[in-house]
Amino acid sequence: MRVRAGIATDIGRVRERNEDSYLAEAPLFAVADGMGGHKGGEVASRLALETLEGAPGEGGGGLAQRVRAANAAVFERSQADRAVSGMGTTLTAVVLAGTAASIAHVGDSRAYLLRAGDLRQLTDDHTLVNRMVKSGEITAAEAGVHPHRSVLTRALGTEAEVEVDEFDVALTDGDRLLLCSDGLTGMVTEAQMVAILSATPDPQDAANRLVRAANRAGGVDNITVVILDVDVDPGTDGEASERVGLQQAGTRRLLGIAGKIVLVLLTLAVAIIGVRVYVDRQWYVGESGARVAVFRGVPAELAGLRFSHPVVITDIPAADAEAIPFYAELAGGLTANDRDAALAIVEQIRRDVAAVNGSGDTGS
């Protein structure tokens, strides 16, 4: 298996320190989101990943055992050092081997799989609101705005023992894995993640864009993203299939190849239609011809094809807007829920630019 990785982490726009940590030592990758006040969260996430990396073990069961060793290390440090008493961390880890990903998970960081344009959440959030959703007490929409949505029901280092979710996922060529802290998922919708991941082939570029999107949406928490692009080596199974294929008639082989081509084309057509429908419902404020403009679509480009077009081009110089720190990311696009929200952002930019330039005229 060959893997290309893209990694980005950011403090966000609200927090005073970055308590997230990540590990990228192929074939082992992980994300941890620390908690505990002062420097407790930073210590917990870093110690958990250091222990995870150094602990012995192979495969899915071995990975879960390494996570338990990380739990013990964080718990023992918390008990022995009053300065970090009560600290803890989430941990989502993956080991890539053969044609599968072995995953171990505790907390509300997440692992996703993007395959043929479809994004699937692999891990289950260990949170109070997720438990309430499963029991039917609240809806998924209510969970997103619930005042206790950040309350964890399971974390590393808070107890001497911890239950670890562990499972394997079969992989195919072209699969893209995403590991992230809730600083991303709390700010960026899954639809937005699909658009960025689908339109950005380079994993590092995709990781950077996801972090920027979370910051543009408010950046209320630390943000960490690990993207893994997988090229699966078929190995002996592929060789066996080839031997069987050589024993079959040439016509039958050609029909099989044609069927695969048709399936790929159909899959691509469905993915393109899905992306197109999504893109047409998105709005953002960006730059067009050095002017502030309202765009329909998403600020992304693939193979020279843009996924947006300007709908309203204002007379506000983009340079004047970007001179204001809050709008420094204008070139990357300021997302909005709809056209009216985008126009409201434009009017706020107009007022802010006028204020900076010493004019009370906000225009029309």
Side-chain angles (χ1 to χ4, degrees):
M1 179 186 296
R2 291 179 292 274
V3 180
R4 291 196 306 150
I7 303 166
T9 187
D10 192 83
I11 194 173
R13 293 188 168 183
V14 176
R15 298 300 178 89
E16 295 181 355
R17 61 175 58 87
N18 193 346
E19 298 183 339
D20 286 359
S21 295
Y22 66 84
L23 176 62
E25 293 294 335
L28 174 62
F29 302 86
V31 167
D33 180 359
M35 58 188 182
H38 190 47
K39 291 188 177 181
E42 184 179 350
V43 171
S45 64
R46 185 176 65 250
L47 177 59
L49 294 190
E50 288 174 351
T51 307
L52 181 74
E53 182 182 9
E58 295 181 356
L63 180 58
Q65 187 57 40
R66 291 160 79 171
V67 172
R68 295 186 187 98
N71 177 76
V74 175
F75 180 74
E76 291 170 6
R77 176 69 179 274
S78 174
Q79 297 296 302
D81 187 348
R82 293 181 59 186
V84 292
S85 177
M87 69 178 178
T89 184
T90 70
L91 198 157
T92 301
V94 58
V95 169
L96 301 175
T99 60
S102 297
I103 297 175
H105 166 72
V106 177
D108 65 349
S109 294
R110 292 180 181 177
Y112 288 90
L113 172 65
L114 180 73
R115 176 178 292 169
D118 178 58
L119 185 68
R120 177 164 62 99
Q121 183 177 337
L122 301 176
T123 53
D124 194 33
D125 292 348
H126 300 141
T127 60
L128 177 62
V129 294
N130 191 40
R131 179 183 292 176
M132 294 169 70
V133 170
K134 287 186 173 182
S135 65
E137 297 176 56
I138 61 174
T139 66
E142 291 170 334
V145 295
H146 197 282
H148 301 309
R149 60 186 177 277
S150 297
V151 176
L152 296 176
T153 57
R154 199 189 305 175
L156 245 65
T158 57
E159 301 288 344
E161 301 290 337
V162 68
E163 181 181 355
V164 181
D165 291 352
E166 52 178 318
F167 53 92
D168 291 343
V169 177
L171 300 176
T172 63
D173 283 345
D175 280 352
R176 173 169 275 188
L177 289 168
L178 166 66
L179 307 181
C180 61
S181 62
D182 67 341
L184 175 70
T185 55
M187 294 284 99
V188 181
T189 67
E190 288 193 3
Q192 290 171 319
M193 289 194 289
V194 169
I196 292 172
L197 291 170
S198 299
T200 316
D202 180 71
Q204 186 59 55
D205 190 18
N208 293 338
R209 290 189 178 209
L210 286 173
V211 169
R212 286 200 298 269
N215 274 325
R216 285 198 301 270
V220 299
D221 201 354
N222 308 143
I223 312 150
T224 298
V225 173
V226 174
I227 294 176
L228 306 172
D229 286 351
V230 178
D231 179 16
V232 178
D233 184 352
T236 56
D237 290 340
E239 294 170 1
S241 297
E242 183 178 357
R243 286 196 299 272
V244 171
L246 290 174
Q247 296 169 1
Q248 298 174 341
T251 301
R252 188 175 178 181
R253 182 179 181 186
L254 288 174
L255 288 174
I257 294 173
K260 291 179 181 179
I261 292 174
V262 170
L263 180 60
V264 169
L265 291 176
L266 287 174
T267 301
L268 286 174
V270 171
I272 290 170
I273 292 171
V275 171
R276 182 65 183 180
V277 170
Y278 166 77
V279 165
D280 284 344
R281 295 177 179 175
Q282 307 307 306
W283 295 85
Y284 72 93
V285 177
E287 297 181 10
S288 178
R291 299 288 179 178
V292 175
V294 173
F295 287 80
R296 186 172 189 172
V298 293
E301 183 176 335
L302 176 63
L305 177 65
R306 291 187 59 83
F307 289 83
S308 64
H309 63 275
V311 175
V312 177
I313 301 176
T314 74
D315 59 352
I316 307 171
D320 288 358
E322 290 181 318
I324 300 173
F326 191 76
Y327 305 119
E329 297 291 333
L330 179 66
L334 306 176
T335 57
N337 291 331
D338 50 35
R339 179 190 176 103
D340 289 343
L343 291 173
I345 293 173
V346 168
E347 290 310 308
Q348 186 60 55
I349 292 174
R350 188 186 297 279
R351 287 191 290 269
D352 291 344
V353 168
V356 170
N357 292 338
S359 169
D361 180 15
T362 60
S364 59

